[in-house]
Amino acid sequence: MTADIPFPAPAAPLAAPAAPAAPPAAAPVPPDPRAAVSIRGLFKQFDGKVAVNGLALDIPVGSFYGLVGPNGAGKTTTLNMVTGLLRPDAGGAMVLGTDVWSNLDRVKRELGVMPQAGQIFDRLTGRQLLVYSGMLRGMRRAETVRRAKDLLAAFDLESAADTMVTDYSSGMTKKICLAAAMIHSPRILVLDEPFESVDPVSSANLRDILVEYAATGGTIIISSHVMALVERMCTHVAIINKGQVCAAGTVEQVAAGSDLEERFLELVGGRHAAARLAWLDGGTDETGAAVEPAAPASGGAR
Ligand SMILES: Nc1ncnc2c1ncn2[C@@H]1O[C@H](COP(=O)(O)OP(=O)(O)OP(=O)(O)O)[C@@H](O)[C@H]1O
């Protein structure tokens, strides 16, 4: 157990969130070893630009946790640091009481991380990819073959089981990536935009699989831009903006009696009057004069 290991502090002063002038900042809350994931002071910058800025969050065991935020808010960078794919500049995370960066192998056994399409061996067939993913996790071949069959059926991919993944549609690729993350029955699933490009029928099936998984005590962390989906499926949500958590809790707490999307817009801001793209009507220029179609270039093939 490594619950008492303090997370590394930044070596030099970092562009941490501005502290209020008064009252003095409270003592930092230590990470919670009972949480599925407990994040404290997570910080990452790329070329001097801060992507994640001292982020802290506790994700309870058995929750279906949605991370939402505008483009570039730092969701993927946070998930990459929590899952051991990217080393933080400062701060850290604990997974089921184990510090991520001092026990990476142990932490990885607990996690099922959905790979991105560009991170898989797509010249394997769907079935081969699943068997490979299971065996990579130390599972016996016979067991991986059995589970691969179940997963292919659950994700409606049986007819494409022996087709190379490179020939899958983007929705099918998403599904096989999710299946690959689940084959070793991890206790925590981390899914970056799992429903993107998945058709409504497959989405509904996928939702059922995830809800069933959560009912058995599994924890699911998804990032998504689809607020209605988060509101419908997730038990908890964190709104992330500019590399920090600006609200977190159960969906009801965060929505605070409003629609989650309304609340998101309220907290994140960024709405502005629609730009007038007058030329979109296709007929007039800025003076209101009719726009003539350009004459075809002369000298072309006749
Ligand atoms: N490898 C990288 N190199 C340089 N900058 C990066 C890198 N990864 C992320 N960033 C920057 O960090 C910031 C946060 O990016 P991140 O991908 O974490 O946001 P996000 O919330 O997942 O966004 P989206 O919803 O658009 O996927 C962005 O400004 C992004 O440009």
Side-chain angles (χ1 to χ4, degrees):
M1 187 79 141
T2 54
D4 296 330
I5 293 180
F7 293 132
L14 295 165
V29 180
D32 180 357
R34 293 158 312 161
V37 175
S38 186
I39 306 172
R40 292 291 181 273
L42 203 60
F43 185 94
K44 185 76 191 176
Q45 58 184 344
F46 297 103
D47 304 322
K49 186 168 172 239
V50 177
V52 174
N53 196 0
L55 189 141
L57 184 65
D58 288 323
I59 299 182
V61 169
S63 60
F64 198 139
Y65 214 111
L67 300 186
V68 299
N71 292 131
K75 302 178 295 293
T76 303
T77 307
T78 298
L79 291 180
N80 284 346
M81 290 191 280
V82 167
T83 53
L85 295 173
L86 182 69
R87 193 177 280 277
D89 294 340
M94 215 173 241
V95 167
L96 297 170
T98 300
D99 177 68
V100 173
W101 287 97
S102 19
N103 295 278
L104 205 46
D105 285 350
R106 184 163 152 193
V107 164
K108 282 192 173 172
R109 275 198 289 277
E110 308 287 3
L111 294 172
V113 183
M114 190 171 83
Q116 301 296 313
Q119 297 169 337
I120 51 171
F121 294 117
D122 61 3
R123 297 190 70 78
L124 295 178
T125 67
R127 191 193 310 278
Q128 287 169 335
L129 181 68
L130 294 185
V131 172
Y132 166 79
S133 303
M135 292 182 71
L136 201 61
R137 299 293 194 147
M139 288 172 57
R140 298 224 316 272
R141 170 177 274 277
E143 180 60 14
T144 56
V145 168
R146 196 174 63 76
R147 289 193 191 183
K149 188 164 179 288
D150 291 346
L151 285 164
L152 288 162
F155 286 96
D156 299 316
L157 287 170
E158 280 165 308
S159 59
D162 300 310
T163 301
M164 272 201 285
V165 175
T166 188
D167 293 329
Y168 280 15
S169 70
S170 55
M172 291 162 77
T173 307
K174 203 86 183 178
K175 291 196 284 183
I176 203 74
C177 287
L178 178 55
M182 298 177 94
I183 197 156
H184 61 296
S185 50
R187 297 325 299 142
I188 303 174
L189 270 179
V190 181
L191 315 172
D192 204 355
E193 292 285 351
F195 296 97
E196 203 181 39
S197 20
V198 177
D199 70 70
V201 175
S202 299
S203 279
N205 291 340
L206 189 52
R207 275 203 306 274
D208 290 347
I209 293 169
L210 294 179
V211 168
E212 203 179 307
Y213 169 86
T216 66
T219 305
I220 302 165
I221 306 167
I222 65 166
S223 82
S224 179
H225 292 113
V226 187
M227 226 52 70
L229 188 143
V230 170
E231 193 154 29
R232 202 169 56 241
M233 290 183 64
C234 294
T235 56
H236 294 69
V237 63
I239 298 180
I240 296 184
N241 192 27
K242 299 184 179 150
Q244 296 182 326
V245 172
C246 53
T250 64
V251 171
E252 292 73 25
Q253 284 167 343
V254 173
S258 170
D259 178 41
L260 188 61
E261 184 151 356
E262 286 294 322
R263 189 79 183 119
F264 176 89
L265 293 173
E266 228 174 84
L267 288 167
V268 166
R271 288 273 290 150
H272 50 73
R276 283 203 63 243
L277 304 177
W279 45 264
L280 260 184
D281 68 9
T284 56
D285 66 13
E286 67 275 14
T287 66
V291 177
E292 294 295 328
S298 59
R302 286 167 196 266

PDB file of all heavy atoms in Angstrom, residues 46-47 49 51 69-78 225, ligand 1:
ATOM      1  N   PHE A  46       2.941  22.045 -21.924  1.00  0.00           N
ATOM      2  CA  PHE A  46       3.615  21.689 -23.170  1.00  0.00           C
ATOM      3  C   PHE A  46       4.212  22.974 -23.741  1.00  0.00           C
ATOM      4  O   PHE A  46       3.464  23.928 -23.992  1.00  0.00           O
ATOM      5  CB  PHE A  46       2.625  21.112 -24.188  1.00  0.00           C
ATOM      6  CG  PHE A  46       1.965  19.833 -23.750  1.00  0.00           C
ATOM      7  CD1 PHE A  46       0.667  19.836 -23.284  1.00  0.00           C
ATOM      8  CD2 PHE A  46       2.646  18.626 -23.800  1.00  0.00           C
ATOM      9  CE1 PHE A  46       0.038  18.667 -22.885  1.00  0.00           C
ATOM     10  CE2 PHE A  46       2.024  17.445 -23.395  1.00  0.00           C
ATOM     11  CZ  PHE A  46       0.729  17.460 -22.945  1.00  0.00           C
ATOM     12  N   ASP A  47       5.507  22.982 -23.927  1.00  0.00           N
ATOM     13  CA  ASP A  47       6.183  24.171 -24.480  1.00  0.00           C
ATOM     14  C   ASP A  47       5.749  25.453 -23.769  1.00  0.00           C
ATOM     15  O   ASP A  47       5.414  26.453 -24.422  1.00  0.00           O
ATOM     16  CB  ASP A  47       5.902  24.300 -25.990  1.00  0.00           C
ATOM     17  CG  ASP A  47       6.301  23.042 -26.747  1.00  0.00           C
ATOM     18  OD1 ASP A  47       7.342  22.462 -26.379  1.00  0.00           O
ATOM     19  OD2 ASP A  47       5.559  22.634 -27.655  1.00  0.00           O
ATOM     20  N   LYS A  49       3.073  26.118 -22.322  1.00  0.00           N
ATOM     21  CA  LYS A  49       1.625  26.374 -22.283  1.00  0.00           C
ATOM     22  C   LYS A  49       0.977  25.363 -21.324  1.00  0.00           C
ATOM     23  O   LYS A  49       1.124  24.145 -21.499  1.00  0.00           O
ATOM     24  CB  LYS A  49       1.066  26.199 -23.701  1.00  0.00           C
ATOM     25  CG  LYS A  49      -0.381  26.581 -23.791  1.00  0.00           C
ATOM     26  CD  LYS A  49      -0.839  26.680 -25.248  1.00  0.00           C
ATOM     27  CE  LYS A  49      -2.329  26.870 -25.274  1.00  0.00           C
ATOM     28  NZ  LYS A  49      -3.044  25.861 -25.992  1.00  0.00           N
ATOM     29  N   ALA A  51      -1.499  22.957 -19.744  1.00  0.00           N
ATOM     30  CA  ALA A  51      -2.639  22.150 -20.216  1.00  0.00           C
ATOM     31  C   ALA A  51      -3.484  21.691 -19.030  1.00  0.00           C
ATOM     32  O   ALA A  51      -4.709  21.649 -19.111  1.00  0.00           O
ATOM     33  CB  ALA A  51      -2.140  20.942 -21.007  1.00  0.00           C
ATOM     34  N   GLY A  69     -15.937  19.166 -20.763  1.00  0.00           N
ATOM     35  CA  GLY A  69     -15.223  20.438 -20.811  1.00  0.00           C
ATOM     36  C   GLY A  69     -15.064  20.857 -22.254  1.00  0.00           C
ATOM     37  O   GLY A  69     -15.184  20.023 -23.158  1.00  0.00           O
ATOM     38  N   PRO A  70     -14.798  22.117 -22.475  1.00  0.00           N
ATOM     39  CA  PRO A  70     -14.641  22.581 -23.857  1.00  0.00           C
ATOM     40  C   PRO A  70     -13.400  21.979 -24.525  1.00  0.00           C
ATOM     41  O   PRO A  70     -12.550  21.396 -23.833  1.00  0.00           O
ATOM     42  CB  PRO A  70     -14.499  24.102 -23.721  1.00  0.00           C
ATOM     43  CG  PRO A  70     -14.269  24.383 -22.290  1.00  0.00           C
ATOM     44  CD  PRO A  70     -14.633  23.179 -21.491  1.00  0.00           C
ATOM     45  N   ASN A  71     -13.276  22.135 -25.808  1.00  0.00           N
ATOM     46  CA  ASN A  71     -12.089  21.660 -26.531  1.00  0.00           C
ATOM     47  C   ASN A  71     -10.842  22.281 -25.902  1.00  0.00           C
ATOM     48  O   ASN A  71     -10.819  23.474 -25.601  1.00  0.00           O
ATOM     49  CB  ASN A  71     -12.141  22.064 -28.014  1.00  0.00           C
ATOM     50  CG  ASN A  71     -13.245  21.341 -28.771  1.00  0.00           C
ATOM     51  OD1 ASN A  71     -14.013  21.964 -29.480  1.00  0.00           O
ATOM     52  ND2 ASN A  71     -13.340  20.039 -28.602  1.00  0.00           N
ATOM     53  N   GLY A  72      -9.839  21.427 -25.683  1.00  0.00           N
ATOM     54  CA  GLY A  72      -8.571  21.931 -25.145  1.00  0.00           C
ATOM     55  C   GLY A  72      -8.588  22.173 -23.649  1.00  0.00           C
ATOM     56  O   GLY A  72      -7.646  22.752 -23.096  1.00  0.00           O
ATOM     57  N   ALA A  73      -9.641  21.717 -22.943  1.00  0.00           N
ATOM     58  CA  ALA A  73      -9.745  21.979 -21.496  1.00  0.00           C
ATOM     59  C   ALA A  73      -8.728  21.175 -20.684  1.00  0.00           C
ATOM     60  O   ALA A  73      -8.439  21.518 -19.537  1.00  0.00           O
ATOM     61  CB  ALA A  73     -11.157  21.655 -21.013  1.00  0.00           C
ATOM     62  N   GLY A  74      -8.217  20.085 -21.241  1.00  0.00           N
ATOM     63  CA  GLY A  74      -7.230  19.278 -20.518  1.00  0.00           C
ATOM     64  C   GLY A  74      -7.735  17.900 -20.114  1.00  0.00           C
ATOM     65  O   GLY A  74      -7.088  17.206 -19.326  1.00  0.00           O
ATOM     66  N   LYS A  75      -8.859  17.472 -20.668  1.00  0.00           N
ATOM     67  CA  LYS A  75      -9.441  16.178 -20.273  1.00  0.00           C
ATOM     68  C   LYS A  75      -8.532  15.021 -20.679  1.00  0.00           C
ATOM     69  O   LYS A  75      -8.187  14.161 -19.860  1.00  0.00           O
ATOM     70  CB  LYS A  75     -10.834  15.997 -20.923  1.00  0.00           C
ATOM     71  CG  LYS A  75     -11.812  17.101 -20.563  1.00  0.00           C
ATOM     72  CD  LYS A  75     -13.144  16.919 -21.250  1.00  0.00           C
ATOM     73  CE  LYS A  75     -13.108  17.033 -22.768  1.00  0.00           C
ATOM     74  NZ  LYS A  75     -12.797  18.375 -23.279  1.00  0.00           N
ATOM     75  N   THR A  76      -8.135  14.985 -21.947  1.00  0.00           N
ATOM     76  CA  THR A  76      -7.313  13.873 -22.428  1.00  0.00           C
ATOM     77  C   THR A  76      -5.955  13.869 -21.732  1.00  0.00           C
ATOM     78  O   THR A  76      -5.454  12.809 -21.330  1.00  0.00           O
ATOM     79  CB  THR A  76      -7.127  13.978 -23.961  1.00  0.00           C
ATOM     80  OG1 THR A  76      -8.428  13.991 -24.551  1.00  0.00           O
ATOM     81  CG2 THR A  76      -6.323  12.833 -24.522  1.00  0.00           C
ATOM     82  N   THR A  77      -5.386  15.045 -21.545  1.00  0.00           N
ATOM     83  CA  THR A  77      -4.074  15.125 -20.877  1.00  0.00           C
ATOM     84  C   THR A  77      -4.201  14.583 -19.452  1.00  0.00           C
ATOM     85  O   THR A  77      -3.341  13.833 -18.976  1.00  0.00           O
ATOM     86  CB  THR A  77      -3.572  16.586 -20.882  1.00  0.00           C
ATOM     87  OG1 THR A  77      -3.615  17.074 -22.216  1.00  0.00           O
ATOM     88  CG2 THR A  77      -2.164  16.697 -20.363  1.00  0.00           C
ATOM     89  N   THR A  78      -5.300  14.932 -18.773  1.00  0.00           N
ATOM     90  CA  THR A  78      -5.524  14.423 -17.419  1.00  0.00           C
ATOM     91  C   THR A  78      -5.632  12.902 -17.442  1.00  0.00           C
ATOM     92  O   THR A  78      -4.969  12.200 -16.666  1.00  0.00           O
ATOM     93  CB  THR A  78      -6.826  15.041 -16.838  1.00  0.00           C
ATOM     94  OG1 THR A  78      -6.645  16.447 -16.755  1.00  0.00           O
ATOM     95  CG2 THR A  78      -7.161  14.473 -15.477  1.00  0.00           C
ATOM     96  N   HIS A 225     -18.385  15.066 -24.991  1.00  0.00           N
ATOM     97  CA  HIS A 225     -18.916  16.406 -25.247  1.00  0.00           C
ATOM     98  C   HIS A 225     -20.437  16.362 -25.301  1.00  0.00           C
ATOM     99  O   HIS A 225     -21.072  17.395 -25.452  1.00  0.00           O
ATOM    100  CB  HIS A 225     -18.411  16.940 -26.597  1.00  0.00           C
ATOM    101  CG  HIS A 225     -16.952  17.219 -26.604  1.00  0.00           C
ATOM    102  ND1 HIS A 225     -16.063  16.506 -27.358  1.00  0.00           N
ATOM    103  CD2 HIS A 225     -16.226  18.129 -25.925  1.00  0.00           C
ATOM    104  CE1 HIS A 225     -14.852  16.973 -27.148  1.00  0.00           C
ATOM    105  NE2 HIS A 225     -14.927  17.957 -26.283  1.00  0.00           N
TER     106      HIS A 225
HETATM  107  N1  LIG B   1       1.366  16.402 -26.952  1.00  0.00           N
HETATM  108  C1  LIG B   1       1.021  17.692 -26.879  1.00  0.00           C
HETATM  109  N2  LIG B   1       1.871  18.648 -27.286  1.00  0.00           N
HETATM  110  C2  LIG B   1       1.546  19.963 -27.201  1.00  0.00           C
HETATM  111  N3  LIG B   1       0.369  20.414 -26.710  1.00  0.00           N
HETATM  112  C3  LIG B   1      -0.522  19.500 -26.286  1.00  0.00           C
HETATM  113  C4  LIG B   1      -0.256  18.098 -26.349  1.00  0.00           C
HETATM  114  N4  LIG B   1      -1.315  17.429 -25.856  1.00  0.00           N
HETATM  115  C5  LIG B   1      -2.230  18.372 -25.509  1.00  0.00           C
HETATM  116  N5  LIG B   1      -1.746  19.602 -25.765  1.00  0.00           N
HETATM  117  C6  LIG B   1      -2.430  20.888 -25.485  1.00  0.00           C
HETATM  118  O1  LIG B   1      -2.930  20.816 -24.165  1.00  0.00           O
HETATM  119  C7  LIG B   1      -4.210  21.410 -24.081  1.00  0.00           C
HETATM  120  C8  LIG B   1      -5.213  20.404 -23.524  1.00  0.00           C
HETATM  121  O2  LIG B   1      -5.422  19.400 -24.516  1.00  0.00           O
HETATM  122  P1  LIG B   1      -6.332  18.129 -24.252  1.00  0.00           P
HETATM  123  O3  LIG B   1      -6.201  17.262 -25.459  1.00  0.00           O
HETATM  124  O4  LIG B   1      -5.991  17.540 -22.949  1.00  0.00           O
HETATM  125  O5  LIG B   1      -7.772  18.791 -24.170  1.00  0.00           O
HETATM  126  P2  LIG B   1      -9.214  18.083 -24.222  1.00  0.00           P
HETATM  127  O6  LIG B   1      -9.995  18.671 -23.109  1.00  0.00           O
HETATM  128  O7  LIG B   1      -9.079  16.609 -24.239  1.00  0.00           O
HETATM  129  O8  LIG B   1      -9.753  18.627 -25.605  1.00  0.00           O
HETATM  130  P3  LIG B   1     -10.815  18.003 -26.651  1.00  0.00           P
HETATM  131  O9  LIG B   1     -12.141  18.050 -25.988  1.00  0.00           O
HETATM  132  O10 LIG B   1     -10.731  18.958 -27.792  1.00  0.00           O
HETATM  133  O11 LIG B   1     -10.361  16.620 -27.006  1.00  0.00           O
HETATM  134  C9  LIG B   1      -4.554  21.921 -25.470  1.00  0.00           C
HETATM  135  O12 LIG B   1      -4.192  23.282 -25.539  1.00  0.00           O
HETATM  136  C10 LIG B   1      -3.660  21.093 -26.368  1.00  0.00           C
HETATM  137  O13 LIG B   1      -3.312  21.813 -27.528  1.00  0.00           O
END
